[in-house]
């Protein structure tokens, strides 16, 4: 079964409202309409005039937001040699983790753990891979829940020095790692979390960005630390990559830079008919 999108259109609107500090009454005043029209839209009304006014007020792309409301878009499947996604249940939602490996040397790295790392451990064994290291995108509980299972041979676990985790080796954003013939860049995509890291992997058939909760297919993580930083670092360090770059989010399906430029409501400037 395909992994559902992490957010619906109401989630997108809600995140933008919180980021801009515009509760329903303030948003209604900004768009010059009664608060009841916002309530109706959130309950399923498809009034495109209201969608357009709300989108403009929240710096969202109207067409992309309406497509989410109509459930008209889902990212194309991603299949890439040297990359595997793992999706495990955590409380009432699911969380992703990833294994990346150099097909020539069979050296592998894990990125986050998911709620259970057993599927990752089993996969690594079935493919005859050697797990060299574990990298954390950030330290929210759902992403670090099963380090003990994943760390089968005392592999190093790395986390950003702005968001340390007990037992990890710390690094500054900008540091590079090597994995066989692969090169791993680290970029600071803070905003959702204080020390959020995006790992840019070079050397597979396509560039890969493992982004944690910085960005989702057609959405993004909430700006729990800084909404402005979340938007800005996503633009600078994720969406500036080539369009075929595979985006591996902490929740929801994998996507690509090109698809997010075309379909993510939070980045209207990339659309030909930006609102």
């Amino acid at each position: 079964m395909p992994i559902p999108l992490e957010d619906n259109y109401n989630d997108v609107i809600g995140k933008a409202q919180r980021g801009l500090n515009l509760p329903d009454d303030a948003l209604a005043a900004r768009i010059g309409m009664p608060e009841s029209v916002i309530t109706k839209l959130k309950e399923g009304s498809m009034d495109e005039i209201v969608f357009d006014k709300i989108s403009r007020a929240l710096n969202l792309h109207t067409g992309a937001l309406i497509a989410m409301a109509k459930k008209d878009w889902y990212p194309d499947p991603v299949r890439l040699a040297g990359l595997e996604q793992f999706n495990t249940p955590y409380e009432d939602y699911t969380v992703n983790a990833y294994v990346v490996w150099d097909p020539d040397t069979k050296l592998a790295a894990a990125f986050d753990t998911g709620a259970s790392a057993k599927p990752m451990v089993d996969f690594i064994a079935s493919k005859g891979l050697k797990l060299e290291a574990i990298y954390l995108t950030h330290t929210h509980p759902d992403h670090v829940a099963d380090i003990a299972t994943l760390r089968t041979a005392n592999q190093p676990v790395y986390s950003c020095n702005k968001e340390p985790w007990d037992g990890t080796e710390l690094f500054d954003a900008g540091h590079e790692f090597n994995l066989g013939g692969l090169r791993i860049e680290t970029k600071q995509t803070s905003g959702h979390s204080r020390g959020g890291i995006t790992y840019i992997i070079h050397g597979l058939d396509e560039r890969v960005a493992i982004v944690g909760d910085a960005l989702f297919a057609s959405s993004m993580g909430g700006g729990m630390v800084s909404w402005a930083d979340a938007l800005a670092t996503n633009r600078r360090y994720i969406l500036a990559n080539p369009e075929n770059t595979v985006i591996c989010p902490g929740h929801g399906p994998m996507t690509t830079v090109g698809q997010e430029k075309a379909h993510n409501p939070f980045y209207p400037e990339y659309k030909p008919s930006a609102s």
Side-chain angles (χ1 to χ4, degrees):
M1 290 289 292
I3 299 172
L5 293 175
E6 171 64 8
D7 288 339
N8 61 36
Y9 76 101
N10 274 331
D11 296 316
V12 168
I13 290 171
K15 286 179 177 179
Q17 285 187 264
R18 290 189 294 275
L20 296 171
N21 193 26
L22 283 174
D24 284 0
D25 57 348
L27 180 57
R30 179 168 291 194
I31 67 174
M33 287 185 154
E35 190 174 339
S36 60
V37 302
I38 297 174
T39 302
K40 289 179 181 177
L41 182 134
K42 291 182 176 181
E43 291 174 346
S45 167
M46 290 303 299
D47 188 326
E48 294 195 3
I49 293 174
V50 178
F51 265 106
D52 185 58
K53 287 183 177 293
I54 287 176
S55 297
R56 290 175 183 274
L58 297 177
N59 301 321
L60 302 173
H61 186 271
T62 303
L65 189 64
I66 291 173
M68 288 189 74
K70 293 181 176 179
K71 300 182 179 180
D72 280 347
W73 179 77
Y74 187 88
D76 296 332
V78 172
R79 297 179 182 87
L80 181 64
L83 171 67
E84 191 74 15
Q85 180 186 49
F86 299 85
N87 180 255
T88 51
Y90 184 89
E91 296 180 350
D92 60 347
Y93 58 95
T94 64
V95 58
N96 296 330
Y98 298 88
V99 171
V100 172
W101 68 97
D102 176 359
D104 293 330
T105 65
K106 301 290 187 180
L107 298 179
F111 294 84
D112 293 343
T113 73
S116 168
K118 187 176 186 305
M120 303 172 77
V121 172
D122 292 346
F123 177 85
I124 289 166
S126 72
K127 291 290 186 180
L129 305 177
K130 181 183 178 184
L131 182 64
E132 290 282 281
I134 300 160
Y135 298 92
L136 303 181
T137 62
H138 61 304
T139 61
H140 290 174
D142 49 337
H143 295 267
V144 300
D146 205 12
I147 291 175
T149 297
L150 186 56
R151 200 177 189 184
T152 55
N154 204 36
Q155 294 92 344
V157 182
Y158 294 102
S159 64
C160 176
N161 64 357
K162 290 187 177 181
E163 198 170 318
W165 189 253
D166 187 45
T168 64
E169 298 185 24
L170 303 181
F171 65 88
D172 293 320
H175 182 77
E176 292 192 4
F177 297 91
N178 292 304
L179 181 69
L182 308 182
R183 179 169 61 91
I184 305 172
E185 292 184 281
T186 62
K187 303 294 185 181
Q188 194 83 71
T189 42
S190 300
H192 175 73
S193 66
R194 188 168 306 281
I197 289 288
T198 287
Y199 297 92
I200 307 291
I201 300 164
H202 304 263
L204 298 176
D205 290 342
E206 301 290 353
R207 189 176 298 188
V208 172
I210 298 180
V211 304
D213 288 356
L215 192 72
F216 306 137
S218 73
S219 188
M220 59 182 282
M224 298 166 67
V225 175
S226 168
W227 181 246
D229 286 349
L231 287 165
T233 57
N234 283 350
R235 289 182 169 103
R236 182 176 181 183
Y237 293 122
I238 301 175
L239 296 176
N241 284 283
E243 297 212 345
N244 287 339
T245 300
V246 175
I247 295 174
C248 301
H251 303 277
M254 291 188 285
T255 181
T256 65
V257 166
Q259 289 185 95
E260 292 315 297
K261 285 182 175 180
H263 298 285
N264 195 309
F266 287 110
Y267 302 95
E269 69 271 25
Y270 298 111
K271 283 74 168 171
S273 56
S275 295

